[in-house]
Amino acid sequence: MTKAQPDPILLTLFENRFMSVAEAMGKSLRQTAISTNIKERLDFSCAIFAADGDLVANAPYIPIHLGSMSFAVKYQLKLHAKSLKEGDVLMTNSPRAGGSHLPDITIITPVFSPDEKSKIMFFTASRGHHADVGGISPGSMPPTSTTIFDEGAQIVSFKIVDDGIYQRDQLLDYMCTQPAKYAGSSGCRNFKDVESDLKAQIAANHKGVRLIHALIEEYGQNTVKEYMDHIRDNAESSVRNLLREVVDRLGTTDLKATDHLDDGTPICLSISINKSEGSAVFDFEGTGPEVRGNLNAPISVVHSAIIYCLRSMLNSEIPLNSGCLVPITVKIPGDTLLSPSDTAAVCAGNVLTSQRIVDVILKAFDACAASQGCTNNLTFGEGGKDASGVVKAGWGYYETIAGGSGAGPDWHGTSGVHTHITNTRIGDLEILERRYPLILHRFELREGSGGKGEFNGGDGVIREFEFLQKMQVSILSERRSRQPYGLHGGNPGKSGRNLWIKQLREEDGDLPEQTRNPAEGDLPPNKPRVINIGGKATVMMGKGDRFIIETPGAGGWGAPTQPTEKV
């Protein structure tokens, strides 16, 4: 039976109405959250899902969240499909339950039919990055983690609201007691902030529920469901046409690309396109094995990268939704970086490996040169479990830092922007210096770091902090040893660098000036040490120490012919 064709006006209307629900949820979440990470940096996403867990519509939030949240909703459906009732709200962050990494906590609320109280029609969901969920270091993004138990609280499934009753005691146990059971790991260092933000997510979901009910009341649930299906069908059709156009543009149905992480681990991709069907197989055979560190990326993250790239290459204005993946078959070999075991550390896979997956996909499609390939994850704070096992109250701060975006066939890359899977803001200077013991001395473009070409890659940035008290500082970054590639003769962008400007201190074993032997002759006065700490490190910085992050530029496109003015 042939499906009825949608009314184009109603299709556009419903696309925007569904997106407006997600936008309203996000506005509510931002207004009611209290953490810098959600309220100021906007590190959150809100979306609507169908009764089967498929993504229906979202507002333009964080791409890495939106593609993977569907996995989380579907996992909860498997566990609770028959037992969910009005007044239930679910909480999860585990990578094996569709999570991306542990700081990203997903809150899921079922939307029941107004006419059949036991029938689920939609789900509203929000995912927020919480700056501290416990683990071995403040900020819960430890560069040195080797197992997921180093990274904080892990929740597979928890009814944070059960039959309308908020379960605070269980939440406290999950966030504070359970993570602290592992050697060297602490529970949440600032539970009150995390709890407040989780309540804001619950409220945002409820806002979405009310707006969906209003939409059903206005148009009827049959029409709403019908156009939900049409929206997904429209996305599917758009991707099928895109794949056909790629074959015509490149003259081949077989695409290949490989790139490497800084440790040498390859990410390999072969794409086989069936032009007549407008379908494709994405095969990651040849990708390196699971790593001991935290660059492992859950399968949900891989799908997020794919759906983001497909949506980005479309010229049509459609909501990002599950229809984009209908023509795609994804093959991920087991026991690899992209299909890690349940206890593998994953905190960097979500923010770093995902960027490299995007670069590999866009390289295969010959779409644009490499962007910075990193999110430059900076965390700092204090508190938690000390060497003697005593737990001290504390806090943690987290931010990602911009870099260059890659040039394309007819455009220059953009300088100083968050690229691809991240879409957050940087921490505002005024907020940072008011809330935390630091001074931000520099935040500027890193001139000349973008690769030259007919079209130039975007420049990275330089961000320099001075810390006003002793605290633990961590950096989790990539593209420190491998440059972002250019295409078609374009030059690569410059790799990044992380410098610790360390004041000399006796307690650290630095040589104080008064102990020098006068017989050695005139010696230059002591000055701070300049130390390259590498791409992934945790350092206890002291008062007066500075930290300079130089983020990568991006690759250029086309052979440079003459100096071109960047736009």
Side-chain angles (χ1 to χ4, degrees):
M1 186 184 217
T2 306
K3 240 185 202 183
Q5 292 299 306
D7 180 287
I9 295 176
L10 273 180
L11 180 64
T12 302
L13 185 148
F14 271 98
E15 285 177 348
N16 285 281
R17 286 293 293 269
F18 280 127
M19 287 177 65
S20 72
V21 172
E23 288 171 352
M25 291 169 62
K27 185 176 181 181
S28 170
L29 177 52
R30 184 185 181 189
Q31 288 176 334
T32 53
I34 66 169
S35 71
T36 303
N37 216 49
I38 291 180
K39 196 173 193 68
E40 307 295 338
R41 291 191 57 251
L42 309 185
D43 197 345
F44 66 85
S45 296
C46 299
I48 305 167
F49 298 84
D52 61 1
D54 278 348
L55 176 64
V56 174
N58 62 274
Y61 294 118
I62 314 299
I64 200 66
H65 291 170
L66 297 165
S68 60
M69 284 169 71
S70 179
F71 281 78
V73 176
K74 289 180 177 182
Y75 191 94
Q76 300 305 312
L77 262 175
K78 288 179 184 178
L79 296 179
H80 303 288
K82 296 180 180 178
S83 63
L84 283 176
K85 54 191 176 299
E86 201 158 359
D88 288 349
V89 180
L90 298 164
M91 170 178 165
T92 180
N93 71 342
S94 173
R96 64 187 173 95
S100 44
H101 61 180
L102 299 185
D104 285 344
I105 299 178
T106 306
I107 300 295
I108 301 165
T109 305
V111 183
F112 290 90
S113 166
D115 301 326
E116 301 174 57
K117 295 299 183 182
S118 61
K119 181 181 177 181
I120 296 174
M121 289 198 65
F122 294 93
F123 289 91
T124 59
S126 54
R127 177 172 287 181
H129 185 111
H130 296 260
D132 197 290
V133 294
I136 60 175
S137 66
S140 303
M141 292 287 287
T144 57
S145 59
T146 58
T147 171
I148 198 163
F149 306 114
D150 292 337
E151 298 177 350
Q154 180 181 196
I155 299 104
V156 174
S157 182
F158 165 47
K159 283 189 180 180
I160 188 171
V161 180
D162 189 356
D163 198 19
I165 300 172
Y166 174 58
Q167 305 295 316
R168 187 178 193 274
D169 291 343
Q170 283 182 263
L171 178 65
L172 189 65
D173 180 64
Y174 271 121
M175 298 303 299
C176 297
T177 306
Q178 297 301 323
K181 291 181 178 179
Y182 298 96
S185 187
S186 300
C188 178
R189 293 167 179 81
N190 192 350
F191 176 73
K192 287 184 178 180
D193 279 12
V194 172
E195 182 185 28
S196 293
D197 284 353
L198 289 172
K199 287 180 177 180
Q201 286 182 246
I202 294 169
N205 284 12
H206 183 65
K207 174 83 170 179
V209 171
R210 289 194 293 108
L211 290 173
I212 290 173
H213 279 154
L215 190 61
I216 291 171
E217 185 178 348
E218 183 176 352
Y219 288 95
Q221 62 184 25
N222 290 336
T223 300
V224 171
K225 185 181 182 308
E226 178 187 349
Y227 275 86
M228 174 190 73
D229 293 337
H230 286 320
I231 288 168
R232 289 190 287 185
D233 292 344
N234 186 41
E236 176 188 343
S237 175
S238 298
V239 170
R240 291 189 188 279
N241 290 334
L242 167 70
L243 294 171
R244 296 183 181 107
E245 291 167 5
V246 168
V247 173
D248 292 338
R249 175 170 61 88
L250 299 180
T252 180
T253 58
D254 296 314
L255 316 178
K256 292 182 183 294
T258 299
D259 203 350
H260 297 79
L261 299 173
D262 280 355
D263 67 1
T265 301
I267 297 176
C268 304
L269 173 62
S270 298
I271 302 173
S272 178
I273 300 175
N274 183 320
K275 184 179 178 182
S276 61
E277 293 181 359
S279 62
V281 176
F282 283 58
D283 190 347
F284 289 90
E285 186 66 42
T287 295
E290 176 183 313
V291 297
R292 181 175 179 270
N294 50 33
L295 288 164
N296 304 293
I299 289 174
S300 63
V301 168
V302 181
H303 284 74
S304 286
I306 293 172
I307 194 173
Y308 160 75
C309 289
L310 293 172
R311 175 61 187 85
S312 297
M313 289 185 286
L314 290 174
N315 288 324
S316 52
E317 289 294 328
I318 62 167
L320 180 73
N321 66 70
S322 61
C324 295
L325 285 180
V326 171
I328 308 300
T329 301
V330 182
K331 294 184 177 180
I332 302 173
D335 303 319
T336 65
L337 180 81
L338 307 182
S339 58
S341 56
D342 287 347
T343 57
V346 297
C347 70
N350 178 62
V351 291
L352 299 181
T353 306
S354 59
Q355 293 278 42
R356 202 59 51 86
I357 298 169
V358 168
D359 279 345
V360 169
I361 295 170
L362 295 178
K363 185 178 183 182
F365 278 93
D366 198 34
C368 63
S371 293
Q372 66 161 333
C374 184
T375 45
N376 308 289
N377 302 269
L378 172 68
T379 54
F380 52 80
E382 59 180 353
K385 192 182 293 182
D386 64 18
S388 63
V390 176
V391 177
K392 297 181 178 179
W395 53 273
Y397 172 76
Y398 168 73
E399 72 175 21
T400 54
I401 304 174
S405 71
D410 55 6
W411 71 83
H412 295 288
T414 305
S415 298
V417 291
H418 283 79
T419 56
H420 295 318
I421 61 89
T422 181
N423 191 31
T424 58
R425 289 183 177 178
I426 194 72
D428 291 333
L429 164 63
E430 293 82 1
I431 301 294
L432 277 173
E433 293 188 342
R434 186 168 73 242
R435 293 190 180 180
Y436 304 105
L438 59 80
I439 298 172
L440 183 65
H441 285 280
R442 276 195 295 169
F443 184 39
E444 61 192 40
L445 291 179
R446 188 185 174 202
E447 297 288 347
S449 56
K452 299 300 180 184
E454 180 183 359
F455 295 97
N456 299 330
D459 289 331
V461 303
I462 300 173
R463 196 159 168 88
E464 180 178 351
F465 297 88
E466 179 183 348
F467 297 102
L468 303 181
Q469 69 179 52
K470 184 178 180 179
M471 69 178 72
Q472 190 170 340
V473 180
S474 299
I475 187 73
L476 193 51
S477 58
E478 273 283 312
R479 294 286 194 203
R480 265 47 184 180
S481 64
R482 294 176 183 268
Q483 296 172 269
Y485 59 80
L487 284 180
H488 295 271
N491 292 332
K494 287 184 179 179
S495 53
R497 191 168 62 164
N498 306 316
L499 300 177
W500 177 19
I501 313 301
K502 184 185 185 304
Q503 301 297 324
L504 301 185
R505 285 180 287 272
E506 263 188 282
E507 61 269 27
D508 294 343
D510 297 322
L511 183 64
E513 190 168 2
Q514 61 266 28
T515 65
R516 295 190 174 191
N517 186 351
E520 294 179 16
D522 291 334
L523 294 173
N526 282 336
K527 60 182 181 179
R529 298 168 60 193
V530 180
I531 306 168
N532 185 338
I533 66 172
K536 300 164 186 68
T538 295
V539 176
M540 187 61 72
M541 295 195 182
K543 182 178 179 180
D545 286 359
R546 296 193 183 196
F547 192 32
I548 303 173
I549 301 105
E550 299 175 354
T551 71
W557 180 286
T561 52
Q562 58 184 9
T564 53
E565 186 178 337
K566 298 180 79 171
V567 294

